[in-house]
């Protein structure tokens, strides 16, 4: 039962995200799913809720629906109802999907349940480190953004509206989001994993600026 529902969810998500070229493709989901299982095991979270939330968390991301962040939870709920999943699982899963997104440097996004904390940590871990660097430049290219502009400093967005309208260059995104994520991890296991990825990004940025200035 568990295996077949998870398999079906993988197929559903993979089909939905086919052709996604901005870093939110099936392989992002796959990595978040594996990270979430890893963290859930260490933290003792409910595996069924964690796996389904991880697999469905980007099913209809607000970034691709003109800022409408209510579509994802609806699509997930319909899928789970169709597969006879009980409300004891559906309710926490859609609550997690509705509240997982990063909404700006000054906007808190607290998760109520251990399962939510685990999945949010997994999603944020995939936004940092080597994977985060690759995804950030892929997203910037998708949006036709410059990699960097020396005269445009980072902006710390204080509202979700402000963050959504952001059109800055990609290096700013490291300062507006990626370098802040280490301190926003919820679980001890998430914090541990974030530490190494954070250091890797800082070393990358140092090298980027040295090469930009012709000094390396
Ligand atoms: Ni995600």
């Amino acid at each position: 039962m568990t295996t077949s529902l998870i398999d079906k969810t993988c197929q559903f998500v993979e089909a939905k995200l086919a052709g996604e070229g901005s870093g939110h493709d099936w392989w992002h989901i796959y990595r978040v799913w594996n990270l979430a299982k890893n963290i859930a095991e260490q933290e003792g979270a409910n595996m069924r809720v964690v796996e389904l939330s991880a697999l469905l968390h980007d099913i209809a991301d607000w970034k691709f629906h003109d800022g409408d962040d209510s579509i994802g939870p609806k699509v997930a709920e319909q899928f789970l109802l169709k597969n006879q999943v009980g409300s004891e699982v559906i309710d926490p899963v859609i609550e997690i999907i509705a509240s997982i997104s990063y909404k700006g440097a000054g906007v808190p996004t607290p998760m109520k349940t251990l399962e939510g904390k685990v999945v949010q940590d997994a999603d944020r871990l995939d936004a940092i480190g080597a994977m985060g660097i690759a995804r950030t430049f892929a997203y910037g290219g998708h949006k036709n953004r410059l990699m960097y502009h020396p005269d445009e400093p980072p902006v710390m967005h204080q509202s979700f509206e402000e963050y959504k309208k952001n059109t800055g260059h990609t290096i700013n995104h490291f300062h507006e989001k990626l370098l802040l994520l280490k301190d926003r991890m919820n679980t001890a296991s998430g914090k541990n994993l974030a530490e190494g990825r954070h250091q890797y990004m800082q070393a990358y940025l140092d090298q980027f600026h040295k090469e930009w200035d012709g000094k390396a």
Side-chain angles (χ1 to χ4, degrees):
M1 171 68 189
T2 306
T3 315
S4 81
L5 175 62
I6 296 298
D7 281 350
K8 268 191 221 166
T9 310
C10 288
Q11 286 161 13
F12 173 70
V13 173
E14 202 170 350
K16 274 261 179 208
L17 297 178
E20 215 310 310
S22 70
H24 290 254
D25 55 290
W26 160 250
W27 295 108
H28 161 64
I29 307 302
Y30 173 86
R31 293 187 302 267
V32 171
W33 177 35
N34 280 330
L35 273 166
K37 282 193 279 188
N38 176 1
I39 299 170
E41 219 159 81
Q42 297 181 54
E43 300 289 330
N46 180 308
M47 200 53 93
R48 163 69 71 106
V49 170
V50 164
E51 285 196 65
L52 289 173
S53 308
L55 287 169
L56 292 163
H57 83 274
D58 273 337
I59 198 70
D61 197 286
W62 62 261
K63 290 184 209 73
F64 306 104
H65 290 274
D66 296 324
D68 185 347
D69 54 359
S70 70
I71 293 172
K74 270 185 228 148
V75 173
E77 186 177 24
Q78 280 161 10
F79 168 79
L80 295 170
L81 281 172
K82 218 174 78 190
N83 285 283
Q84 284 86 45
V85 178
S87 62
E88 77 287 355
V89 171
I90 293 188
D91 292 351
V93 168
I94 60 170
E95 202 268 328
I96 290 168
I97 298 170
S99 40
I100 194 168
S101 269
Y102 187 84
K103 297 186 167 82
V107 188
T109 43
M111 299 304 282
K112 288 185 200 135
T113 59
L114 174 61
E115 289 70 28
K117 292 178 204 285
V118 167
V119 178
Q120 191 176 55
D121 278 2
D123 193 32
R124 289 180 171 176
L125 281 165
D126 199 53
I128 61 177
M131 214 51 73
I133 295 168
R135 289 181 65 214
T136 302
F137 283 105
Y139 185 73
H142 178 77
K143 291 280 185 187
N144 290 319
R145 290 181 188 171
L146 280 179
M147 288 200 299
Y148 178 53
H149 194 302
D151 300 334
E152 292 171 15
V155 183
M156 294 297 140
H157 307 104
Q158 297 304 310
S159 77
F160 186 34
E161 289 309 308
E162 225 185 289
Y163 180 67
K164 276 196 280 195
K165 281 190 221 134
N166 168 47
T167 56
H169 61 77
T170 297
I171 289 294
N172 271 353
H173 192 62
F174 283 84
H175 299 281
E176 291 158 2
K177 175 179 174 185
L178 309 190
L179 293 171
L180 308 177
L181 291 180
K182 173 178 74 77
D183 294 327
R184 291 210 182 182
M185 290 292 149
N186 304 299
T187 66
S189 334
K191 281 193 182 94
N192 265 334
L193 290 162
E195 197 53 54
R197 291 181 183 227
H198 183 85
Q199 283 169 17
Y200 187 90
M201 281 194 302
Q202 279 189 317
Y204 173 81
L205 287 172
D206 285 349
Q207 181 71 14
F208 183 99
H209 288 294
K210 276 188 202 148
E211 292 186 15
W212 189 273
D213 294 330
K215 289 182 177 146

